[in-house]
Coordinates of all heavy atoms in Angstrom, one line a residue:
M1 N -23.0 -21.2 9.0 CA -23.8 -22.4 9.2 C -23.5 -23.3 8.1 O -23.6 -22.9 6.9 CB -25.2 -22.0 9.4 CG -26.1 -23.2 9.8 SD -27.6 -22.5 10.4 CE -28.8 -23.6 9.6
D2 N -23.4 -24.6 8.4 CA -23.2 -25.6 7.3 C -24.5 -26.0 6.6 O -25.4 -26.3 7.2 CB -22.6 -26.8 7.9 CG -22.1 -27.8 6.9 OD1 -22.1 -27.6 5.8 OD2 -21.8 -29.0 7.3
K3 N -24.5 -25.9 5.3 CA -25.8 -26.2 4.5 C -25.7 -27.6 3.9 O -26.6 -27.9 3.1 CB -25.8 -25.1 3.3 CG -26.0 -23.7 3.8 CD -27.5 -23.5 4.3 CE -27.6 -22.1 4.7 NZ -28.9 -21.8 5.1
T4 N -24.7 -28.4 4.2 CA -24.6 -29.7 3.7 C -25.7 -30.6 4.3 O -25.9 -30.6 5.5 CB -23.2 -30.4 4.0 OG1 -22.2 -29.6 3.5 CG2 -23.1 -31.8 3.4
P5 N -26.5 -31.3 3.5 CA -27.6 -32.1 4.0 C -27.0 -33.2 4.9 O -26.0 -33.8 4.5 CB -28.3 -32.7 2.7 CG -27.9 -31.9 1.6 CD -26.5 -31.3 2.0
R6 N -27.7 -33.6 5.9 CA -27.4 -34.7 6.7 C -27.5 -36.0 5.9 O -28.4 -36.2 5.2 CB -28.2 -34.8 7.9 CG -27.8 -35.9 8.9 CD -28.5 -35.8 10.2 NE -28.1 -36.9 11.0 CZ -28.8 -37.4 12.0 NH1 -29.9 -36.8 12.4 NH2 -28.4 -38.5 12.6
R7 N -26.5 -36.9 6.1 CA -26.4 -38.2 5.3 C -26.9 -39.3 6.2 O -26.6 -39.4 7.4 CB -25.1 -38.4 4.7 CG -24.8 -37.4 3.7 CD -23.4 -37.5 3.2 NE -23.1 -36.4 2.2 CZ -23.0 -36.6 0.9 NH1 -23.1 -37.8 0.4 NH2 -22.8 -35.6 0.1
Y8 N -27.6 -40.3 5.7 CA -28.1 -41.4 6.4 C -27.7 -42.7 5.7 O -27.8 -42.7 4.5 CB -29.6 -41.3 6.6 CG -30.2 -40.1 7.1 CD1 -30.5 -39.1 6.3 CD2 -30.4 -40.0 8.5 CE1 -31.0 -37.9 6.8 CE2 -30.9 -38.8 9.0 CZ -31.2 -37.7 8.3 OH -31.7 -36.7 8.8
P9 N -27.4 -43.8 6.5 CA -27.1 -45.1 5.9 C -28.4 -45.7 5.4 O -29.5 -45.6 6.0 CB -26.5 -45.8 7.1 CG -27.0 -45.3 8.3 CD -27.3 -43.8 8.0
V10 N -28.3 -46.5 4.3 CA -29.3 -47.3 3.8 C -28.8 -48.7 3.5 O -27.7 -48.8 2.9 CB -30.1 -46.7 2.7 CG1 -29.1 -46.3 1.5 CG2 -31.2 -47.5 2.2
I11 N -29.5 -49.7 3.7 CA -29.1 -51.1 3.5 C -30.2 -51.8 2.9 O -31.4 -51.7 3.2 CB -28.7 -51.8 4.8 CG1 -27.5 -51.1 5.4 CG2 -28.4 -53.3 4.6 CD1 -27.3 -51.6 6.8
C12 N -30.0 -52.7 1.9 CA -31.0 -53.7 1.4 C -30.3 -55.0 1.0 O -29.0 -55.0 0.9 CB -31.6 -53.1 0.1 SG -30.7 -53.1 -1.4
E13 N -31.0 -56.0 1.0 CA -30.6 -57.3 0.7 C -31.3 -57.9 -0.5 O -32.5 -57.8 -0.7 CB -30.8 -58.3 1.9 CG -30.1 -59.6 1.7 CD -30.3 -60.5 3.0 OE1 -30.1 -60.0 4.1 OE2 -30.6 -61.7 2.8
I14 N -30.4 -58.3 -1.5 CA -30.9 -59.0 -2.7 C -30.2 -60.3 -2.9 O -28.9 -60.3 -2.9 CB -30.7 -58.0 -3.9 CG1 -31.4 -56.6 -3.7 CG2 -31.1 -58.7 -5.2 CD1 -31.1 -55.7 -4.8
D15 N -31.0 -61.4 -3.0 CA -30.4 -62.7 -3.2 C -29.3 -63.0 -2.2 O -28.3 -63.6 -2.6 CB -29.9 -62.8 -4.6 CG -31.0 -62.6 -5.7 OD1 -32.1 -63.0 -5.4 OD2 -30.7 -62.1 -6.8
G16 N -29.6 -62.7 -0.9 CA -28.7 -63.0 0.1 C -27.4 -62.1 0.2 O -26.6 -62.3 1.1
R17 N -27.3 -61.1 -0.7 CA -26.1 -60.2 -0.6 C -26.7 -58.8 0.0 O -27.7 -58.3 -0.4 CB -25.6 -59.8 -2.0 CG -24.9 -61.1 -2.6 CD -24.1 -60.7 -3.8 NE -23.1 -59.7 -3.5 CZ -22.5 -59.0 -4.3 NH1 -22.8 -59.1 -5.6 NH2 -21.6 -58.0 -4.1
T18 N -25.9 -58.3 0.9 CA -26.3 -57.0 1.6 C -25.6 -55.9 0.7 O -24.4 -55.9 0.4 CB -25.7 -57.0 3.0 OG1 -26.4 -58.1 3.6 CG2 -26.1 -55.7 3.7
H19 N -26.3 -54.9 0.4 CA -25.9 -53.7 -0.3 C -26.0 -52.5 0.5 O -27.0 -52.4 1.3 CB -26.7 -53.5 -1.6 CG -26.5 -54.7 -2.5 ND1 -25.5 -54.9 -3.3 CD2 -27.4 -55.7 -2.7 CE1 -25.7 -56.0 -4.0 NE2 -26.8 -56.5 -3.6
R20 N -25.0 -51.6 0.6 CA -25.0 -50.4 1.5 C -24.8 -49.2 0.7 O -24.1 -49.1 -0.3 CB -24.0 -50.6 2.5 CG -24.0 -51.8 3.4 CD -22.9 -51.9 4.4 NE -22.9 -53.2 5.0 CZ -23.5 -53.5 6.1 NH1 -24.3 -52.5 6.6 NH2 -23.6 -54.7 6.6
G21 N -25.5 -48.1 1.2 CA -25.2 -46.9 0.6 C -25.6 -45.7 1.6 O -25.8 -46.0 2.7
T22 N -25.6 -44.5 1.0 CA -25.9 -43.3 1.9 C -27.0 -42.6 1.2 O -26.9 -42.5 -0.1 CB -24.7 -42.5 2.1 OG1 -23.7 -43.3 2.7 CG2 -24.9 -41.3 3.0
Y23 N -27.9 -41.9 1.9 CA -28.9 -41.1 1.3 C -28.9 -39.7 2.0 O -28.6 -39.7 3.1 CB -30.2 -41.8 1.1 CG -31.1 -41.8 2.4 CD1 -31.9 -40.8 2.7 CD2 -31.0 -43.0 3.2 CE1 -32.8 -40.9 3.8 CE2 -31.8 -43.1 4.3 CZ -32.7 -42.0 4.6 OH -33.5 -42.1 5.7
W24 N -29.4 -38.8 1.2 CA -29.7 -37.5 1.8 C -30.7 -36.8 1.0 O -31.0 -37.2 -0.1 CB -28.4 -36.6 1.8 CG -27.8 -36.3 0.5 CD1 -28.1 -35.2 -0.3 CD2 -26.8 -37.1 -0.3 NE1 -27.3 -35.3 -1.5 CE2 -26.6 -36.4 -1.5 CE3 -26.2 -38.3 0.0 CZ2 -25.7 -36.9 -2.4 CZ3 -25.4 -38.8 -1.0 CH2 -25.1 -38.1 -2.1
I25 N -31.4 -35.8 1.6 CA -32.4 -35.0 0.9 C -32.1 -33.6 0.9 O -31.7 -33.0 1.9 CB -33.8 -35.2 1.7 CG1 -34.2 -36.8 1.7 CG2 -35.0 -34.4 1.0 CD1 -35.4 -37.1 2.6
A26 N -32.2 -33.1 -0.3 CA -31.9 -31.7 -0.5 C -33.1 -31.1 -1.2 O -33.4 -31.4 -2.3 CB -30.6 -31.4 -1.3
G27 N -33.8 -30.2 -0.5 CA -35.1 -29.7 -1.0 C -36.0 -30.8 -1.1 O -36.4 -31.4 -0.1
K28 N -36.6 -31.1 -2.3 CA -37.5 -32.2 -2.5 C -36.9 -33.4 -3.3 O -37.6 -34.2 -3.8 CB -38.7 -31.7 -3.3 CG -39.6 -30.7 -2.5 CD -40.8 -30.3 -3.2 CE -41.6 -29.3 -2.4 NZ -42.9 -28.9 -3.1
I29 N -35.5 -33.4 -3.3 CA -34.9 -34.4 -4.1 C -34.0 -35.3 -3.2 O -33.2 -34.8 -2.4 CB -33.9 -33.8 -5.1 CG1 -34.7 -32.9 -6.1 CG2 -33.2 -34.9 -5.9 CD1 -35.7 -33.7 -7.0
M30 N -34.3 -36.6 -3.2 CA -33.5 -37.6 -2.5 C -32.4 -38.1 -3.4 O -32.6 -38.4 -4.6 CB -34.2 -38.7 -1.9 CG -33.4 -39.8 -1.3 SD -34.3 -41.3 -0.8 CE -35.1 -40.6 0.7
T31 N -31.2 -38.2 -2.9 CA -30.1 -38.9 -3.6 C -29.5 -40.0 -2.8 O -29.3 -39.9 -1.6 CB -28.9 -37.9 -3.9 OG1 -29.4 -36.9 -4.7 CG2 -27.8 -38.6 -4.7
V32 N -29.4 -41.2 -3.4 CA -28.7 -42.4 -2.8 C -27.5 -42.6 -3.5 O -27.4 -42.6 -4.8 CB -29.7 -43.7 -2.9 CG1 -28.9 -44.9 -2.4 CG2 -30.9 -43.4 -2.2
S33 N -26.4 -42.7 -2.8 CA -25.1 -42.9 -3.4 C -24.4 -44.1 -2.8 O -24.5 -44.4 -1.6 CB -24.2 -41.6 -3.0 OG -22.9 -41.8 -3.5
T34 N -23.7 -44.8 -3.7 CA -22.7 -45.9 -3.3 C -21.3 -45.5 -3.8 O -21.1 -44.5 -4.4 CB -23.2 -47.2 -4.0 OG1 -23.0 -47.2 -5.3 CG2 -24.6 -47.5 -3.6
G35 N -20.4 -46.4 -3.6 CA -19.1 -46.2 -4.2 C -18.9 -46.2 -5.6 O -18.0 -45.8 -6.2
M36 N -20.0 -46.7 -6.3 CA -20.0 -46.9 -7.8 C -21.1 -46.1 -8.5 O -21.2 -46.3 -9.8 CB -20.1 -48.4 -8.1 CG -18.9 -49.2 -7.5 SD -19.0 -51.0 -8.0 CE -20.3 -51.6 -6.9
G37 N -21.9 -45.3 -7.8 CA -22.9 -44.7 -8.5 C -23.9 -44.0 -7.6 O -23.8 -44.1 -6.4
S38 N -24.8 -43.2 -8.3 CA -25.9 -42.7 -7.4 C -27.2 -42.5 -8.2 O -27.2 -42.6 -9.5 CB -25.4 -41.2 -6.9 OG -25.3 -40.4 -8.0
K39 N -28.3 -42.3 -7.6 CA -29.6 -42.1 -8.2 C -30.3 -41.1 -7.4 O -30.2 -41.1 -6.2 CB -30.4 -43.4 -8.2 CG -30.1 -44.3 -9.3 CD -31.2 -45.4 -9.4 CE -31.0 -46.3 -10.6 NZ -31.5 -45.6 -11.8
S40 N -31.2 -40.3 -8.1 CA -31.9 -39.3 -7.4 C -33.4 -39.3 -7.8 O -33.6 -39.9 -9.0 CB -31.4 -37.9 -7.7 OG -30.1 -37.7 -7.3
R41 N -34.3 -39.0 -7.0 CA -35.7 -39.0 -7.2 C -36.4 -37.9 -6.4 O -36.0 -37.7 -5.3 CB -36.3 -40.3 -7.0 CG -37.7 -40.4 -7.5 CD -38.2 -41.8 -7.6 NE -37.5 -42.6 -8.5 CZ -37.3 -43.9 -8.5 NH1 -38.0 -44.6 -7.5 NH2 -36.6 -44.6 -9.3
Q42 N -37.4 -37.4 -6.9 CA -38.2 -36.4 -6.1 C -38.9 -37.1 -4.9 O -39.5 -38.3 -5.2 CB -39.3 -35.7 -7.0 CG -40.0 -34.6 -6.2 CD -40.9 -33.8 -7.2 OE1 -40.6 -33.7 -8.3 NE2 -41.8 -33.2 -6.6
V43 N -38.9 -36.6 -3.8 CA -39.5 -37.2 -2.6 C -41.1 -36.9 -2.7 O -41.4 -35.8 -3.0 CB -39.0 -36.6 -1.3 CG1 -39.7 -37.1 -0.2 CG2 -37.4 -36.8 -1.2
G44 N -41.8 -37.9 -2.5 CA -43.3 -37.8 -2.6 C -43.9 -38.2 -1.3 O -43.3 -37.8 -0.2
S45 N -44.9 -39.0 -1.3 CA -45.5 -39.5 0.0 C -44.9 -40.7 0.6 O -45.3 -41.0 1.8 CB -47.0 -39.7 -0.3 OG -47.2 -40.7 -1.3
M46 N -44.0 -41.4 -0.2 CA -43.3 -42.5 0.3 C -42.4 -42.2 1.4 O -41.7 -41.2 1.4 CB -42.6 -43.2 -0.8 CG -42.0 -44.5 -0.5 SD -41.1 -45.3 -1.9 CE -42.4 -45.5 -3.1
P47 N -42.3 -43.0 2.6 CA -41.4 -42.7 3.6 C -39.9 -42.7 3.1 O -39.6 -43.5 2.2 CB -41.6 -43.9 4.6 CG -42.9 -44.3 4.3 CD -43.2 -44.1 2.9
A48 N -39.1 -41.8 3.7 CA -37.8 -41.6 3.1 C -37.0 -43.0 3.1 O -36.3 -43.2 2.0 CB -37.0 -40.6 3.9
E49 N -37.0 -43.7 4.1 CA -36.2 -45.0 4.2 C -36.7 -46.0 3.1 O -35.9 -46.6 2.5 CB -36.4 -45.6 5.6 CG -35.6 -46.9 5.8 CD -34.0 -46.7 5.8 OE1 -33.6 -45.6 6.0 OE2 -33.4 -47.7 5.5
V50 N -38.0 -46.0 2.8 CA -38.5 -46.9 1.8 C -38.0 -46.5 0.4 O -37.6 -47.3 -0.4 CB -40.0 -47.0 1.8 CG1 -40.6 -47.8 0.7 CG2 -40.5 -47.5 3.2
L51 N -38.1 -45.2 0.1 CA -37.6 -44.7 -1.2 C -36.1 -44.9 -1.3 O -35.6 -45.3 -2.4 CB -37.9 -43.2 -1.3 CG -37.5 -42.6 -2.6 CD1 -38.0 -43.2 -3.8 CD2 -37.8 -41.1 -2.6
A52 N -35.4 -44.7 -0.2 CA -33.9 -44.9 -0.2 C -33.6 -46.3 -0.6 O -32.7 -46.7 -1.4 CB -33.3 -44.5 1.1
Q53 N -34.3 -47.3 0.1 CA -34.1 -48.7 -0.3 C -34.4 -49.0 -1.7 O -33.7 -49.8 -2.3 CB -34.9 -49.5 0.8 CG -34.3 -49.6 2.2 CD -35.1 -50.3 3.1 OE1 -36.3 -50.7 2.9 NE2 -34.5 -50.6 4.3
E54 N -35.5 -48.5 -2.2 CA -35.9 -48.8 -3.6 C -34.8 -48.2 -4.5 O -34.4 -48.9 -5.5 CB -37.2 -48.0 -3.9 CG -37.7 -48.2 -5.3 CD -39.0 -47.5 -5.5 OE1 -40.0 -47.8 -4.8 OE2 -39.0 -46.6 -6.4
L55 N -34.3 -47.1 -4.3 CA -33.2 -46.5 -5.1 C -31.9 -47.4 -5.1 O -31.2 -47.6 -6.0 CB -32.9 -45.1 -4.8 CG -34.0 -44.1 -5.1 CD1 -33.7 -42.7 -4.6 CD2 -34.2 -44.0 -6.6
L56 N -31.6 -47.8 -3.8 CA -30.4 -48.7 -3.6 C -30.6 -50.1 -4.3 O -29.7 -50.5 -5.0 CB -30.2 -48.9 -2.1 CG -28.9 -49.7 -1.7 CD1 -27.7 -49.1 -2.4 CD2 -28.9 -49.9 -0.3
R57 N -31.8 -50.5 -4.4 CA -32.1 -51.8 -5.1 C -31.8 -51.6 -6.6 O -31.3 -52.5 -7.2 CB -33.5 -52.3 -4.8 CG -33.6 -53.2 -3.6 CD -35.0 -53.9 -3.5 NE -36.1 -52.9 -3.3 CZ -36.5 -52.4 -2.2 NH1 -35.9 -52.7 -1.0 NH2 -37.5 -51.6 -2.1
E58 N -32.4 -50.5 -7.1 CA -32.1 -50.2 -8.5 C -30.6 -50.1 -8.8 O -30.1 -50.6 -9.8 CB -32.8 -48.8 -8.9 CG -34.3 -49.0 -8.9 CD -35.0 -47.6 -9.1 OE1 -34.3 -46.7 -9.6 OE2 -36.2 -47.6 -9.0
L59 N -29.9 -49.4 -7.9 CA -28.4 -49.3 -8.2 C -27.8 -50.7 -8.1 O -26.8 -51.0 -8.9 CB -27.8 -48.4 -7.1 CG -28.0 -46.9 -7.3 CD1 -27.6 -46.2 -5.9 CD2 -27.2 -46.4 -8.4
A60 N -28.2 -51.5 -7.1 CA -27.7 -52.9 -7.1 C -27.9 -53.7 -8.3 O -27.0 -54.4 -8.8 CB -28.2 -53.6 -5.9
K61 N -29.1 -53.6 -8.9 CA -29.5 -54.3 -10.1 C -28.7 -53.9 -11.3 O -28.5 -54.6 -12.2 CB -31.0 -54.2 -10.3 CG -31.8 -55.1 -9.4 CD -33.3 -54.9 -9.5 CE -34.0 -55.7 -8.4 NZ -35.5 -55.5 -8.6
E62 N -28.3 -52.7 -11.2 CA -27.4 -52.1 -12.3 C -25.9 -52.3 -12.1 O -25.1 -51.9 -12.9 CB -27.6 -50.5 -12.4 CG -29.1 -50.2 -12.9 CD -29.3 -48.7 -12.7 OE1 -28.4 -47.9 -12.4 OE2 -30.5 -48.3 -13.0
G63 N -25.6 -53.1 -11.0 CA -24.2 -53.3 -10.7 C -23.5 -52.2 -10.1 O -22.2 -52.1 -10.2
K64 N -24.2 -51.2 -9.5 CA -23.6 -50.0 -9.0 C -23.6 -49.9 -7.5 O -23.5 -48.8 -6.9 CB -24.2 -48.8 -9.6 CG -24.0 -48.7 -11.1 CD -24.7 -47.5 -11.7 CE -24.5 -47.4 -13.2 NZ -25.3 -46.3 -13.7
A65 N -23.8 -51.0 -6.8 CA -23.8 -51.0 -5.4 C -23.2 -52.3 -4.8 O -22.8 -53.2 -5.5 CB -25.3 -51.1 -4.9

């Protein structure tokens, strides 16, 4: 049986630019990845899609999306 977490697309728009990434959850940790970097955070009560967009926005502001 494959133990690889399922990956989901995530998109956000900042200043008219669309940024895309992929996220997955392993245990209680969500990771958002782009071609230039990734960020992880513990999943809490925030919906997964909202947290993924927040992490993607952070990556974009750092120039990693």
Side-chain angles (χ1 to χ4, degrees):
M1 188 164 140
D2 188 9
K3 297 283 184 182
T4 304
R6 184 169 175 204
R7 295 172 184 254
Y8 303 91
V10 59
I11 299 171
C12 75
E13 189 173 314
I14 299 174
D15 297 329
R17 290 191 61 198
T18 300
H19 302 277
R20 299 175 191 277
T22 304
Y23 76 92
W24 63 92
I25 300 171
K28 294 183 178 183
I29 303 296
M30 172 186 285
T31 301
V32 174
S33 178
T34 68
M36 297 184 284
S38 65
K39 275 193 175 282
S40 298
R41 189 167 299 153
Q42 184 171 340
V43 177
S45 60
M46 186 181 297
E49 180 69 21
V50 174
L51 178 57
Q53 288 177 344
E54 181 177 300
L55 291 173
L56 182 58
R57 276 192 293 278
E58 290 176 15
L59 284 165
K61 289 178 183 177
E62 294 171 6
K64 297 179 181 176

